[in-house]
């Protein structure tokens, strides 16, 4: 079974530039998550999709971050404009379906973003 | 809102020795608890989870964890560590929504 695919693996940009990350979840997984992991910290949930609808985006900085999941499969996370404090690993995860008992999430390897 | 505390930032254990990583959670109702492991350059891998029932949970790679409601704890244990266990370990809880709330992690170092 193929895992969660993310690209790119690494990205270096200057502050105020824009950047986009792509995620392809495990086939058939209805729920998709984006997490931000700053160095030395645990991952923080940014946004959760159920199929192509947003379930929770309460911790997404909406003035600069946006995400979409067209057709309920792949997802993109965009930052525009980037700030130095956005330097982090962005992790995508998917699970078969939502609901508290069904949150066995499978994680991709992440995209390491460095903003200079 | 739910939260997770992992009191130990770093832990050093000799190979073959036993291991216990501490996790305390804060959540008003019955928590759903997880332990994940993250090796360098790798994604997070689920070690074990607790939803209900038996409070001693068995996971992969010889790990187990015990849920203690009275102490709001979910500590991870392994009777004998291997050098390959060196990694970052994260405890997590699911609260009202579906997403995971993670602790800050414990970095495990294995001494030969």
């Amino acid at each position: 079974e193929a895992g969660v695919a993310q690209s790119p693996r690494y990205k270096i940009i200057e502050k105020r530039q824009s950047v986009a990350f792509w995620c392809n979840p495990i086939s058939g997984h209805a729920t998709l998550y984006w997490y931000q992991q700053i160095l030395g910290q645990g991952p923080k949930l940014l946004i959760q999709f159920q199929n192509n609808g947003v379930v929770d985006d309460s911790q997404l900085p909406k003035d600069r971050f946006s995400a979409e999941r067209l057709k309920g499969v792949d997802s993109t996370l965009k930052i525009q404009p980037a700030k130095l404090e956005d330097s982090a690993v962005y992790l995508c995860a998917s699970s078969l379906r939502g609901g508290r008992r069904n949150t066995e999430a499978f994680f991709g390897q992440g995209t390491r973003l460095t903003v200079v | 809102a739910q939260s997770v505390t992992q009191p130990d930032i770093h832990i050093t254990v000799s190979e073959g020795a036993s291991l216990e990583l501490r996790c305390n959670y804060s959540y008003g109702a019955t928590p759903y608890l997880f332990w994940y492991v993250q090796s360098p350059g790798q994604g997070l891998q689920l070690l074990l989870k607790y939803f209900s029932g038996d409070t001693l949970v068995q996971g992969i790679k010889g790990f187990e964890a015990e849920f203690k409601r009275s102490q709001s704890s979910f500590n991870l244990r392994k009777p004998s560590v291997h050098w390959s266990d060196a990694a970052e370990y994260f405890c997590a809880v699911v609260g009202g929504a579906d997403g995971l709330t993670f602790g800050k992690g414990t970095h495990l170092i294995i001494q030969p």
Side-chain angles (χ1 to χ4, degrees):
Chain A
E1 177 182 82
V4 176
Q6 290 188 247
S7 67
R9 287 294 309 278
Y10 306 92
K11 190 74 176 178
I12 300 175
I13 63 171
E14 296 182 348
K15 59 184 179 184
R16 291 187 289 272
Q17 284 187 323
S18 63
V19 64
F21 313 126
W22 173 82
C23 172
N24 180 233
I26 294 173
S27 177
H29 279 197
T31 307
L32 185 147
Y33 312 82
W34 283 102
Y35 287 85
Q36 179 193 57
Q37 185 176 17
I38 293 172
L39 186 63
Q41 298 184 20
K44 183 183 81 170
L45 179 67
L46 293 176
I47 189 167
Q48 177 186 344
F49 292 94
Q50 181 73 17
N51 296 309
N52 61 349
V54 176
V55 172
D56 181 5
D57 63 357
S58 58
Q59 298 190 91
L60 187 73
K62 299 180 186 63
D63 58 333
R64 297 183 300 105
F65 286 65
S66 64
E68 60 182 7
R69 190 184 184 196
L70 298 176
K71 301 181 181 179
V73 183
D74 294 4
S75 177
T76 56
L77 176 70
K78 297 179 181 178
I79 307 175
Q80 182 179 11
K83 293 185 176 181
L84 295 176
E85 59 260 36
D86 298 332
S87 294
V89 176
Y90 290 85
L91 295 165
C92 180
S94 69
S95 63
L96 191 58
R97 53 186 179 275
R100 294 183 67 212
R101 280 185 168 268
N102 299 299
T103 48
E104 182 167 349
F106 295 84
F107 285 79
Q109 291 189 303
T111 296
R112 182 177 297 277
L113 173 67
T114 302
V115 182
V116 298
Chain B
Q2 65 274 9
S3 66
V4 174
T5 301
Q6 294 181 247
D8 304 303
I9 297 174
H10 301 277
I11 282 196
T12 301
V13 177
S14 297
E15 190 169 15
S18 63
L19 170 70
E20 182 169 29
L21 302 182
R22 296 184 291 164
C23 171
N24 293 98
Y25 69 88
S26 173
Y27 184 63
T30 299
Y32 291 176
L33 296 159
F34 303 77
W35 275 99
Y36 279 84
V37 61
Q38 187 176 39
S39 299
Q42 301 297 314
L44 290 152
Q45 181 182 24
L46 179 67
L47 286 176
L48 47 79
K49 59 189 176 186
Y50 171 78
F51 287 164
S52 64
D54 193 348
T55 57
L56 185 62
V57 179
Q58 301 297 321
I60 63 171
K61 303 185 179 187
F63 285 93
E64 67 178 25
E66 186 171 12
F67 171 63
K68 293 185 177 180
R69 183 185 298 275
S70 62
Q71 298 177 19
S72 298
S73 69
F74 188 56
N75 294 348
L76 182 71
R77 300 194 294 248
K78 186 170 185 177
S80 176
V81 298
H82 186 263
W83 64 266
S84 59
D85 293 324
E88 193 82 18
Y89 291 80
F90 292 96
C91 181
V93 64
V94 173
D98 294 344
L100 294 160
T101 296
F102 286 87
K104 291 188 175 183
T106 297
H107 185 63
L108 176 63
I109 300 166
I110 307 296
Q111 281 184 334

